[in-house]
Amino acid sequence: MITALNEHIIDSTPVRTRTGCGEPSSFPFSLCITLLKDLETLVEVVAQQLYGEEKKWNFIAITEATKVLLRLAMLQKSGYKMLLHGGENTNDGRDTDDVDAPGNEFASNPGQHGVSGVLSNNHGQGPYNLEGRALFALNRFGENARTVTGPSWLHRVQHQQAIMEPLTTVSQTPTLYTFLSEKGTPGGLFLMGEVLFVLRPLIYVLLIRKYGARSWLPWLASLVVDLIGNGSSSLVSVLWHNCNGFHLSTLEKHELKRRKLLWALYLMRDPVFTKYTSQRLAGTQKLLEPVPLIGLLTEKLIELLVGAQTRYTYMSGS
């Protein structure tokens, strides 16, 4: 959680634009989602120790419901763009191939922005690189310190320049009606896929809370929601990827692949794990047990998998 806060401080450093104005700040939805995900395992363990196995699902459901509200708010705030890593990363619509391209606001003049200008032309470390952003934040701190200790006449000149410079035009976030009217059918399918992706963990937890983790209903319902949600997003990316502005960036394509890889967690969720996966793991352990070193490593690995499988937050994929 401390690491997440540190990275947020670096990421939230105001980025200087061509007009000299900073990017507008907003509520840190991504930071709250990251902190909540880091805290969720602790909530589950403490709730199980204090209230038992059955009542712990009440606290997990509250945590998942909070994440749903944060993700839906972030989806609306971003203008209904794809959530990256469940909302932990901000989707600004910029393609990763364009970050270090020549002609962006940071690479135009190496000497104009001090350290940030040098970074954008050495070793490919632009301001969107983590190290570049950290040094850029440090450079801004030094510039602010020099501004504070500067003469009074310099303050007046800078104030007059700030008044004369045109303000950066901030694009308005489209409403739901505007988004659906502009994007049409593919927009509706895309939005349905994102909403189902957000709601799937909460639906899964609520069904487990009612029917138990060993029931097939929560497992099947979660799989169906995943298939419909990912199917809608994939359909839009394949059929309408060049229509109505539905051009997926590199990060969004990676996000679709990441969501499909999460389907492997269904093998680790009950009742599939208890009836099928655990037997396969036990058979693999017996097969490799006579092999020196490999048998020991396999045994420890399976112990870790079995231990992690008992925690919802490790296998939720949320």
Side-chain angles (χ1 to χ4, degrees):
M1 295 175 68
I2 294 175
T3 302
L5 288 171
N6 181 50
E7 292 180 353
H8 173 72
I9 293 173
I10 296 174
D11 292 338
S12 60
T13 301
V15 180
R16 188 177 300 170
T17 61
R18 284 195 180 97
T19 58
C21 302
E23 291 181 350
S25 59
S26 59
F27 184 79
F29 291 105
S30 58
L31 176 63
C32 294
I33 294 173
T34 302
L35 295 179
L36 195 58
K37 288 188 66 174
D38 293 338
L39 191 63
E40 193 172 17
T41 303
L42 179 61
V43 172
E44 179 181 359
V45 173
V46 173
Q48 183 174 354
Q49 292 292 328
L50 296 180
Y51 300 99
E53 177 69 24
E54 295 184 359
K55 292 186 178 181
K56 78 172 185 179
W57 295 105
N58 296 331
F59 296 89
I60 297 177
I62 294 174
T63 307
E64 289 292 350
T66 306
K67 286 198 296 185
V68 166
L69 294 178
L70 288 173
R71 285 168 174 166
L72 290 178
M74 186 175 183
L75 182 65
Q76 188 273 335
K77 190 70 175 179
S78 65
Y80 305 102
K81 296 177 183 177
M82 183 179 295
L83 297 175
L84 303 179
H85 288 270
E88 292 187 74
N89 295 342
T90 303
N91 187 0
D92 55 3
R94 183 182 292 105
D95 202 322
T96 54
D97 297 334
D98 299 331
V99 171
D100 297 322
N104 62 52
E105 58 268 25
F106 295 93
S108 57
N109 189 350
Q112 184 179 358
H113 302 299
V115 176
S116 61
V118 175
L119 283 175
S120 62
N121 289 277
N122 288 278
H123 309 292
Q125 292 181 341
Y128 295 99
N129 176 275
L130 183 59
E131 298 174 0
R133 291 196 303 267
L135 290 178
F136 179 70
L138 182 61
N139 184 51
R140 282 189 61 85
F141 175 78
E143 291 178 355
N144 293 335
R146 288 195 300 271
T147 302
V148 171
T149 58
S152 58
W153 64 268
L154 181 59
H155 286 277
R156 290 194 296 269
V157 172
Q158 291 176 345
H159 179 68
Q160 292 176 358
Q161 290 179 350
I163 296 176
M164 294 176 63
E165 286 178 348
L167 297 177
T168 305
T169 56
V170 180
S171 59
Q172 296 182 353
T173 302
T175 62
L176 179 60
Y177 175 78
T178 304
F179 177 82
L180 293 177
S181 61
E182 290 180 354
K183 305 300 182 180
T185 302
L189 289 175
F190 173 80
L191 188 59
M192 182 181 68
E194 289 301 300
V195 172
L196 289 178
F197 169 74
V198 171
L199 293 178
R200 200 273 315 163
L202 180 60
I203 296 174
Y204 184 50
V205 169
L206 293 178
L207 291 176
I208 290 179
R209 178 175 171 269
K210 184 174 182 179
Y211 297 100
R214 300 296 176 88
S215 174
W216 280 99
L217 182 59
W219 190 90
L220 290 174
S222 178
L223 179 61
V224 170
V225 173
D226 253 340
L227 290 175
I228 296 176
N230 282 274
S232 300
S233 301
S234 300
L235 185 64
V236 171
S237 64
V238 172
L239 297 183
W240 289 287
H241 64 282
N242 287 326
C243 300
N244 296 328
F246 271 101
H247 173 70
L248 296 182
S249 65
T250 303
L251 292 177
E252 291 173 339
K253 293 177 182 178
H254 290 334
E255 173 63 19
L256 287 179
K257 295 179 181 178
R258 187 191 72 88
R259 294 182 185 181
K260 293 178 180 178
L261 289 176
L262 290 177
W263 291 356
L265 291 175
Y266 282 99
L267 298 176
M268 298 297 298
R269 297 170 184 163
D270 284 327
V272 172
F273 181 83
T274 303
K275 295 185 177 181
Y276 302 103
T277 309
S278 60
Q279 299 177 5
R280 298 290 184 181
L281 292 176
T284 303
Q285 180 180 352
K286 291 181 179 179
L287 180 64
L288 298 177
E289 186 176 5
V291 182
L293 187 59
I294 296 179
L296 179 61
L297 294 176
T298 303
E299 180 183 359
K300 297 302 180 182
L301 177 61
I302 293 177
E303 287 181 4
L304 290 175
L305 289 176
V306 173
Q309 193 274 336
T310 59
R311 298 293 173 215
Y312 163 81
T313 48
Y314 293 154
M315 299 298 156
S316 64
S318 63

